[in-house]
Every structure is written in structure tokens, then in C-alpha cells.
Amino acid sequence: MDDDLITLVADDIEDVPAPSSAWVVAVIDDDPAVHEGTRYALSNFMLDGRGLEILSAYSAREARALLADRRDVAVIMLDVVMETDDAGLLLVDYIRRELCEETARIILRTGQPGQAPERRIIVDYDINDYKAKTELTADKLFTSLTASLRAFQQLKRLDETRRGLEIIIDAAPMLLDHKSMQRLAEGVLTQVASLLNVAVAGILVLRESEEAEARFCVLAGSGCYGHYVSRQPAWPLGQEVHPLVEKAFAERSHTFGDHWSTLYVHTSSGSEIVALIEADRALSETDRALIALFTSRLSIAFDNVILYEKLQRANTDLEQRVIERTAELIRANRRLAMQRSDLRRANSFKTEILGTVAHDLKNPLSVILGRAEMLADIIEIDATAPEKRPQMRAQVEHIRTSTKRLTAMIDSLMADAMNDAHDITLRREPVDLAALAREVCDANRPLAGSKGQSLVYEGPDNLYLCGDTERLREALDNLVSNAVKYSALGGEIRMRVSRETGGPGAAQGPELVCAVADNGPGLSPEDATRVFGRFQRLSAKPTAGEGSTGLGLSIVRRIAELHGGRATAESDGPGQGAVFAVRFPEESVALL
């Protein structure tokens, strides 16, 4: 009868290995007869074309090891009283709390219902069904197991859906972050495998337009299809793959088969992507729904990469145009620099000529003015020809007026020359003073050689300060050219760069010094007091008849002062040569 109780059977039932797709049921009871009766009653059980794989544990301890090892158990038939009166209840707590197994259905079976009140057990211990062993007939066992498996199946689908949605949500930022089409394609195949939770082999193909077959491109491949990525040309594919991919492009829709599935994505930029997936099982309805949701978000990711690559190409073109334009600007800059150099040389020549003319004209004009004053005095004293005295006074006054006017004009020219010579601004940058001194020596060595002089540099290879390279070059050049101008023919000139402790007049601390020593006429006491003045002519004369504006050393002093330093001149007296130097306090100009 259908309502008979489950009883032990005499014959041993041989365990037959269940297929991998069978429902897994765990029977946990310390009574072997319960295990045998359950197997007998459920020997022909089938649900959705799947049979049962029944696992047995005869104590709560065995059950813990079994359930920790097998995480695919769908239904657990559990006895309450085993080693202890509450062994089954403690096992439920272990399953739910420690194993965090929430989908497996638990049917509690007890032979002593009074020891575990039904309502409290169902609520407190997350039990899905509660049966006394005396009421579990074959039919009721079948009904209870079927209901539990249905519930497990629904929970499993919900869990898979939840896991799939989490994967899709987590994957979205990662996929959108890709900047390479190939990396994005590889990420898509990886995420599909993770989403389906199966081993997946696949290939992802891009078609950028519908016009020519040559526009097909294999972006990524996994498993047995990985070799297609490096194949040249990558199209057509193999005999099995080619028709499936072409069909997907033609139908423009997803296709799901027992082992093959094709996913179609159309981007707003006009590109089309087909992913061919080969899985070791047919995709469930939940899998298909998740795949459809996942691929619906891929269009944005692919468009993002396509636009990024276009932007990269545009950026590369722009960079090339910038490089070309920069080269043009550099060439223009060089032309301007050459023009500026020419203008500076012309302006320097103009200043020199202006200074020389102004200086050389002022002295004769001073003589003329003095003689005019003397002539006026003589006219007043002379008693002869008193009738001509007014005319003579008028002529003398004309001479004096014209001379004063011309003197004022020369003073204005001298002021202009001085402004050009001293209107100096600095552009500070690291300067190798030693290297700059060597360059100045090299530049002036031909001039010194024309007079049979030797020009020698003494100092370190490098000595840095912070200043204006061109202004410092001008100061050093003035010192060297001045030494060449006043040194005797065949003499020796030495240029020395060093770091020295501060001497008289120096600030506290060491100084960076560039000194030029000559064997010229030296300095007289009078010359030493005015050597750095403006338009000063020294008592000594250039040794080869060179001209002098009297501005060179005053410019040297001005440049030194602008750098926070000073200019010095030392001589042991006339005929003993002289040493002219620029000195810079190290703490204010040395490069840190």
C-alpha cells in the first residue's frame, strides 16, 4: 500500500554511480536501516530528467566532513537525535552559519518529536520541512523531496542570477576602463566565462563595415581558438567556426545551442561584434538572460574604445603637427636670435662710436669755449679801436653761444651712450663660470695672438653660480679685451677662476672669483681711484694704438653689482701690471 511505512529490505541495494547531472541528496542518520529504506523508496525517483545521487553520513561528525567536501548537495534529510539529543540541530546551525549554505533544503526527520517541538525548530533553525519518521511513507517522502528539490532549483536560479548581476555590475567599470580593443575583447571573453561559471572557449570578431569581407578582424580568442588572433590573414576562420560567425552577422541576434552560442553586439558607431562561445553544457534560461543583459551593456564599452582609438590617432596627428610647427618656430627663433645678435653688435658699435665721438669732441669744444672767454677779456682790456669793440663782442658771443649749444648736444649724446651701456636687466639661470671663462679666452685668443701675447686659463673644470650668461660673458670679455689692449706686445695674460675666502671689502663667507692678470703699465694712484668710472681715460695708452670709449670697465662694475658682487682692480704700481676681477658672494649666487 502507498501509505505503508518505510521498512528495511532484506536484499542489499548496490550503489550505482549517478550521472554528474543527478540531484544530490544527503541522508544523515545514525540508523543504517533509515539509509537503506530511503534508498529503496527513492530508487526510481526522476525529476526533470535527472535522477538522484544519495550520500550517506551516520553521525553529525561524518556529516560535517561530507558537507564541507560536497557543496553541491540539494536536499539534506537529517535526523535530530544522533550522538546527542541535539546533534542534528547543531549540524543545522553549522550548515547555515559556518558553511553559509543557504540554498540546500533541510528535511528534519525525528523519531522523538516531543524532544524538538516543530514550530520552534522550523523558526529558530531554518528548517525547510519537519517530519516524524513514522509519517514518512514512500509517497510522502516522494512529495516532500520533490517540493524541496523544486525550492532548491528556484533558489539556485535566484542565486545564480544574483551572482551574475554582481559580476555584470563589477565588470562594467573594468570594461569601460579598457583603452585597447584587443584588451576589451579579452576581458569580454573572461567575463562571459565567469558569468556562466563554466570553462569557455571562444572567439570575438569585429566587423567595422558591411562592405568588404576584408574588414573582419579577430580581436581575441580563448581556449582552442586562441591561435586565430595571430593568424594573418585572420579571415576566413575554420570550417566549423566560419559559418556560425557569418550567420550571426547575417541574423544580427543571439543564438543559443547545446554547445555553441553566438552573441551579437551592434555599436552606435556602426561597428558589429560577434562572440562565439563553446561551453561544456547547454546554457540555462538564467544563463541566457544574464548573457543578454551583459551584452546589452557592451555597446557602450566598444564605442568607448573605438572613440578612444580615434582620439589617439587624432592626438598623434596633432602631436606631429605640433612638432612640425615647433620646428618652424625654432628655425624662426634662430633667425630672430641671429638678427638680435646682429642688432646687438650694431648697437654696441653705435654706442662705441657715439661714446668715442662725444668724448673726442667735448675736449676741443672745451678749449674753444675757454679761448672765447679769454678773447672776451682781451677785448675789454684792449684800448685800441674802441669803435670796433661792439662788433668784436658780438662775434665772440656768437662763438660762445654756438660752443655751448654744441656742448649740450654732445652731453645729450653721451647720456644716450651711457643709457645704452648701463640699461642692463638680468635673466637668471645656472651658469658654469669656469666654462664661460674658457669660452671667452678662446674667443679672444686670436686677438691676443695678433699682438704676440699668450692668453692662459687657470681654474677648475666646473664652478656654478646663478646669473645671466650673456651679461657675465660681456663682463669677462671686457676684462680680457682690456688686458689685451693695454698689455705689452709679446706679454702674458692669465685668466683665473676660483673659490676664495672673502678679502677686504667682501661679504662674510667665500666668494666666486674670476680675475684677469696682465703685464701692462699697471695703475697709478690716480688711475686706481677712477678706473671704474664712466668714460674715464687712464694715463696708460693702448699698446697697439687701439681706441677706447672709457665705458668697458664701468659696464663690468655694473654687471657685477647687478649680480650682488663687486669689481676690483689691484696693482703694485706703474709698470707692475694689474689684476682686474669680478667677485660674487657664494651664499647669494651659488647654485644650490
Side-chain angles (χ1 to χ4, degrees):
M1 296 177 62
D2 292 340
D3 294 331
D4 291 342
L5 297 178
I6 298 174
T7 58
L8 299 177
V9 296
D11 297 330
D12 293 334
I13 303 299
E14 182 179 357
D15 290 340
V16 179
S20 58
S21 60
W23 301 102
V24 181
V25 177
V27 179
I28 303 171
D29 200 302
D30 59 352
D31 187 351
V34 172
H35 291 266
E36 294 176 3
T38 302
R39 288 178 182 274
Y40 179 78
L42 300 175
S43 58
N44 295 321
F45 183 91
M46 293 290 291
L47 179 63
D48 294 337
R50 300 167 62 182
L52 295 181
E53 179 185 358
I54 300 178
L55 308 176
S56 294
Y58 296 92
S59 67
R61 179 175 298 177
E62 286 185 29
R64 286 173 180 254
L66 173 66
L67 295 174
D69 182 59
R70 292 293 299 266
R71 303 306 299 271
D72 57 346
V73 176
V75 178
I76 301 171
M77 296 183 180
L78 177 61
D79 188 15
V80 176
V81 181
M82 290 182 285
E83 304 100 308
T84 61
D85 291 345
D86 59 350
L89 300 181
L90 294 178
L91 181 60
V92 172
D93 189 68
Y94 169 78
I95 294 170
R96 298 305 191 201
R97 296 181 186 276
E98 296 189 31
L99 295 183
C100 298
E101 178 56 68
E102 298 178 353
T103 56
R105 304 294 84 196
I106 299 177
I107 301 174
L108 200 63
R109 302 193 298 185
T110 180
Q112 303 172 2
Q115 292 184 342
E118 181 176 344
R119 291 187 180 181
R120 185 176 64 82
I121 293 301
I122 293 294
V123 173
D124 294 347
Y125 287 89
D126 190 16
I127 305 298
N128 307 109
D129 203 355
Y130 182 87
K131 300 293 183 183
K133 292 181 180 179
T134 56
E135 63 176 320
L136 271 178
T137 62
D139 285 343
K140 289 184 178 180
L141 181 60
F142 177 88
T143 302
S144 181
L145 179 60
T146 301
S148 296
L149 288 175
R150 292 291 189 196
F152 170 78
Q153 189 177 38
Q154 292 173 357
L155 289 175
K156 201 68 175 176
R157 287 177 181 172
L158 290 174
D159 186 61
E160 290 175 353
T161 301
R162 176 189 57 78
R163 186 187 64 84
L165 291 175
E166 289 176 351
I167 291 174
I168 292 173
I169 292 172
D170 292 340
M174 183 270 294
L175 293 176
L176 289 174
D177 193 49
H178 282 303
K179 301 298 185 293
S180 162
M181 185 67 77
Q182 183 176 353
R183 293 295 302 275
L184 174 60
E186 293 171 353
V188 169
L189 292 179
T190 301
Q191 293 300 328
V192 168
S194 176
L195 188 62
L196 299 178
N197 199 23
V198 294
V200 167
I203 188 171
L204 196 142
V205 182
L206 168 70
R207 184 169 69 175
E208 292 184 336
S209 70
E210 304 176 14
E211 299 173 357
E213 207 174 59
R215 299 301 298 275
F216 283 92
C217 176
V218 177
L219 298 178
S222 62
C224 60
Y225 304 105
H227 63 284
Y228 282 114
V229 178
S230 58
R231 179 182 296 181
Q232 296 295 334
W235 193 268
L237 301 172
Q239 294 180 353
E240 292 184 350
V241 177
H242 192 152
L244 294 172
V245 173
E246 279 198 330
K247 181 180 179 182
F249 277 121
E251 295 181 352
R252 296 185 174 183
S253 62
H254 302 324
T255 303
F256 299 101
D258 292 338
H259 296 287
W260 295 87
S261 298
T262 54
L263 313 177
Y264 175 81
V265 178
H266 186 274
T267 71
S268 59
S269 60
S271 299
E272 296 176 288
I273 298 99
V274 164
L276 179 66
I277 306 298
E278 182 182 2
D280 55 6
R281 63 172 175 81
L283 302 186
S284 66
E285 291 298 328
T286 301
D287 293 333
R288 298 181 184 186
L290 291 173
I291 286 293
L293 178 62
F294 177 68
T295 54
S296 67
R297 299 295 183 267
L298 289 180
S299 173
I300 299 175
F302 280 105
D303 273 334
N304 187 41
V305 173
I306 291 170
L307 292 174
Y308 179 80
E309 291 182 346
K310 289 181 179 179
L311 180 62
Q312 285 293 95
R313 290 193 293 269
N315 189 51
T316 301
D317 294 340
L318 180 59
E319 287 179 353
Q320 183 61 34
R321 293 174 61 186
V322 169
I323 291 173
E324 294 173 357
R325 182 58 178 162
T326 302
E328 293 178 4
L329 291 175
I330 289 174
R331 290 192 292 269
N333 238 1
R334 288 174 179 170
R335 290 194 297 269
L336 290 174
M338 294 176 62
Q339 294 174 2
R340 179 172 177 267
S341 179
D342 293 341
L343 290 174
R344 287 183 58 191
R345 285 194 296 269
N347 186 63
S348 177
F349 180 72
K350 180 266 295 182
T351 301
E352 182 177 354
I353 294 297
L354 186 61
T356 301
V357 170
H359 188 276
D360 292 344
L361 287 179
K362 191 170 184 180
N363 286 337
L365 286 175
S366 298
V367 173
I368 293 173
L369 187 61
R371 293 297 183 269
E373 296 290 343
M374 293 175 61
L375 184 58
D377 293 338
I378 292 173
I379 291 173
E380 295 297 329
I381 296 173
D382 189 6
T384 63
E387 68 282 358
K388 296 182 179 180
R389 193 173 295 171
Q391 297 179 359
M392 295 174 63
R393 289 196 192 99
Q395 296 300 324
V396 170
E397 187 63 27
H398 283 313
I399 294 174
R400 291 173 62 183
T401 303
S402 298
T403 303
K404 289 180 179 180
R405 186 167 61 250
L406 188 55
T407 301
M409 294 171 61
I410 291 174
D411 287 340
S412 178
L413 290 176
M414 292 180 67
D416 290 342
M418 186 56 58
N419 288 335
D420 289 341
H422 292 276
D423 186 14
I424 300 174
T425 57
L426 299 183
R427 183 180 64 184
R428 295 188 177 274
E429 59 186 355
V431 180
D432 186 348
L433 186 63
L436 188 62
R438 289 194 297 270
E439 292 178 11
V440 171
C441 283
D442 293 340
N444 284 274
R445 199 164 276 121
L447 180 62
S450 66
K451 298 179 67 173
Q453 300 166 341
S454 61
L455 181 54
V456 181
Y457 169 78
E458 297 176 348
D461 293 334
N462 304 100
L463 187 62
Y464 285 92
L465 56 78
C466 186
D468 188 309
T469 303
E470 294 303 320
R471 298 279 77 80
L472 290 172
R473 187 193 305 276
E474 184 177 359
L476 300 187
D477 186 72
N478 280 342
L479 291 180
V480 174
S481 62
N482 194 68
V484 171
K485 187 181 297 183
Y486 289 95
S487 290
L489 300 177
E492 182 181 72
I493 302 170
R494 292 187 173 275
M495 189 175 201
R496 175 176 51 82
V497 174
S498 61
R499 179 184 283 105
E500 299 178 0
T501 56
Q508 293 182 354
E511 292 179 315
L512 306 184
V513 180
C514 182
V516 178
D518 61 44
N519 62 351
L523 297 174
S524 65
E526 181 184 4
D527 289 340
T529 60
R530 59 188 180 90
V531 65
F532 290 108
R534 300 177 180 179
F535 292 106
Q536 294 297 325
R537 297 296 183 92
L538 305 182
S539 58
K541 302 299 180 183
T543 56
E546 298 96 333
S548 175
T549 63
L551 294 173
L553 292 178
S554 65
I555 293 175
V556 170
R557 182 182 67 177
R558 176 63 173 160
I559 293 174
E561 290 173 349
L562 288 174
H563 283 81
R566 58 198 177 100
T568 61
E570 300 174 3
S571 177
D572 292 335
Q576 302 298 315
V579 179
F580 294 88
V582 286
R583 300 173 178 272
F584 308 100
E586 186 176 31
E587 68 274 7
S588 64
V589 300
L591 182 65
L592 298 179

